[in-house]
Amino acid sequence: MNKVNFPALTGIRALAAFMVYIHHYNPFSIEFFGKYIHDFFSEFHIGVTIFFVLSGFLICNRYFDEPNFSFKNYLIKRIARIYPMYFILTTLTFVFFAVVYSQNSWIDLHNYFYNISFLKGFSDDLKFTGIAQSWSLTVEEVFYFTAPLFFILINKSRFFLVLIPLFFLGLGVLLVSFFSGIDCNGFMKSINFMLDYTFFGRISEFFVGIVLALIVRKHETSFKGITYLGLIGIILSVCALVSLKVEGGFGVDSFLGRVINTLVLPVFGIAPLFFGLIKEKTLISNFFSTKTLQLFGKSSYIFYLIHLGIFVTILNKISSNQWFVFIILNLISILLYLYIETPLNKLIRRNRD
């Protein structure tokens, strides 16, 4: 069991959330900054990739060889971390849009069920309903449920570090081949959907995090500068995505772009950066370990959930200035983290640690 905290990785969560925000509200206009700069920041959807690699690392570091492992307690802790704020904010979202935009003021119970059960993330038709960006939570939840089994297999043989991702990728292809011709709420509707939005296509990112956790446990580094090599790897990966940009879309919409996003970027960018943040003392690790970044990192889950949706809709009626919206969203996130998320988390986890 390893309960070591990594302050810099908490701070990096803020960066990942802010990158996704920039991806959605790209402030670097083509007219002022030029097309390349605009396209570079439009590829900041990679914040989601950072989250997935980080989840793989943290879960493996914490639970890989925990003695007397209790699956029940493990799930309670995972649910306490993810579900309360998601349920509250999802319910508020459906109530808000039902009241404001629907004539009969009835909640769409069909979509509401798929959202609060996380099933929407398996549907190409429903993935952006409710809190649009929460499709990624379905991916996270699948990992949470399957990770303990993965750890058992990996403990038996390290070959499973490769076999499991290949198995799930193959399973995803089989599901698409079976359901693509069936009208089933868009369930596993296409190869592109499977690769971009489901655990079957994104599993490699979690496994890069798992491999990193196993390496961190066993190895120190005498090599200096791995933090900066990771940062360079991330920048070069984004540049590669820009070069592959599909007209009207993103570089990740191409096959090679998907390979870069789910494999090259995690292996040659994110993992070295994380390793450096853990093992090296640099200006970057010091920055992400500051109290301010710790607070932003701890509230980043809520920020991620509210950076699209009802709060932005309301704030835009006050001002459309992106800096104003960004600052207020962070303040709301911090308040919700301190006074709702943390107390609920403690209540659910009580006597479970």
Side-chain angles (χ1 to χ4, degrees):
M1 180 172 60
N2 195 332
K3 290 189 176 183
V4 176
N5 292 318
F6 306 103
L9 296 188
T10 298
I12 213 75
R13 286 166 48 189
L15 173 66
F18 295 162
M19 290 178 78
V20 177
Y21 179 87
I22 292 172
H23 162 67
H24 285 132
Y25 303 101
N26 194 335
F28 299 93
S29 66
I30 295 176
E31 294 75 17
F32 190 83
F33 293 94
K35 188 175 186 302
Y36 191 88
I37 296 298
H38 174 83
D39 289 349
F40 183 89
F41 286 98
S42 72
E43 298 292 346
F44 271 23
H45 54 76
I46 66 165
V48 175
T49 303
I50 292 174
F51 276 128
F52 288 164
V53 176
L54 184 59
S55 289
F57 171 81
L58 293 176
I59 295 299
C60 180
N61 182 73
R62 174 65 179 83
Y63 294 105
F64 183 74
D65 54 5
E66 182 180 18
N68 303 316
F69 175 79
S70 168
F71 187 69
K72 176 182 176 182
N73 288 348
Y74 164 81
L75 281 186
I76 288 173
K77 291 174 184 177
R78 293 300 92 213
I79 291 171
R81 175 70 185 91
I82 294 292
Y83 199 70
M85 287 308 305
Y86 174 73
F87 177 83
I88 292 170
L89 292 171
T90 297
T91 302
L92 283 176
T93 297
F94 274 85
V95 170
F96 176 83
F97 285 109
V99 172
V100 174
Y101 293 105
S102 177
Q103 292 182 348
N104 57 22
S105 299
W106 284 99
I107 295 177
D108 184 346
L109 293 178
H110 174 269
N111 283 350
Y112 178 67
F113 167 76
Y114 276 93
N115 273 263
I116 61 171
S117 64
F118 291 119
L119 291 175
K120 76 161 192 171
F122 294 107
S123 167
D124 195 14
D125 297 345
L126 302 176
K127 63 181 183 291
F128 292 144
T129 59
I131 298 175
Q133 63 276 25
S134 66
W135 63 266
S136 63
L137 297 189
T138 301
V139 181
E140 289 273 1
E141 288 300 312
V142 174
F143 174 66
Y144 290 160
F145 274 94
T146 52
L149 174 60
F150 295 161
F151 298 156
I152 292 172
L153 294 174
I154 294 167
N155 256 318
K156 292 182 180 297
S157 172
R158 293 297 192 260
F159 284 113
F160 282 106
L161 288 168
V162 175
L163 294 178
I164 293 172
L166 290 176
F167 170 80
F168 272 83
L169 181 60
L171 179 59
V173 172
L174 287 176
L175 288 172
V176 170
S177 66
F178 181 80
F179 285 101
S180 59
I182 301 174
D183 184 11
C184 191
N185 286 316
F187 179 80
M188 302 300 289
K189 192 174 184 178
S190 68
I191 288 291
N192 288 344
F193 166 72
M194 183 273 289
L195 292 174
D196 292 341
Y197 294 102
T198 75
F199 182 70
F200 304 101
R202 307 297 295 261
I203 185 173
S204 59
E205 294 152 66
F206 294 95
F207 267 69
V208 170
I210 290 173
V211 171
L212 176 64
L214 297 178
I215 292 174
V216 166
R217 287 168 165 233
K218 299 293 184 181
H219 300 283
E220 295 295 332
T221 178
S222 58
F223 179 78
K224 301 300 181 183
I226 195 167
T227 303
Y228 299 101
L229 280 179
L231 192 60
I232 291 170
I234 291 173
I235 293 171
L236 291 177
S237 295
V238 175
C239 290
L241 290 175
V242 173
S243 70
L244 295 167
K245 179 178 170 61
V246 177
E247 190 62 33
F250 308 98
V252 76
D253 294 330
S254 67
F255 174 76
L256 183 56
R258 290 187 176 95
V259 173
I260 291 171
N261 186 60
T262 60
L263 196 60
V264 176
L265 169 65
V267 171
F268 296 103
I270 299 170
L273 174 63
F274 286 2
F275 189 86
L277 290 175
I278 294 167
K279 298 293 187 179
E280 296 180 324
K281 281 293 183 181
T282 63
L283 291 175
I284 296 177
S285 65
N286 290 337
F287 172 73
F288 283 111
S289 299
T290 60
K291 289 183 179 180
T292 300
L293 265 295
Q294 293 299 289
L295 183 58
F296 283 141
K298 291 174 181 176
S299 62
S300 63
Y301 171 59
I302 296 176
F303 179 87
Y304 178 76
L305 288 179
I306 69 173
H307 83 274
L308 293 173
I310 58 175
F311 288 93
V312 174
T313 300
I314 295 170
L315 288 172
N316 281 337
K317 294 184 181 298
I318 301 172
S319 173
S320 60
N321 183 283
Q322 288 188 354
W323 284 110
F324 167 79
V325 173
F326 177 76
I327 291 169
I328 299 301
L329 285 176
N330 271 289
L331 291 175
I332 294 171
S333 301
I334 291 169
L335 290 173
L336 291 176
Y337 164 73
L338 292 174
Y339 298 109
I340 297 182
E341 181 185 9
T342 299
L344 283 176
N345 194 316
K346 290 180 179 179
L347 179 65
I348 297 171
R349 292 169 58 120
R350 185 176 296 164
N351 300 322
R352 295 295 178 181
D353 289 320

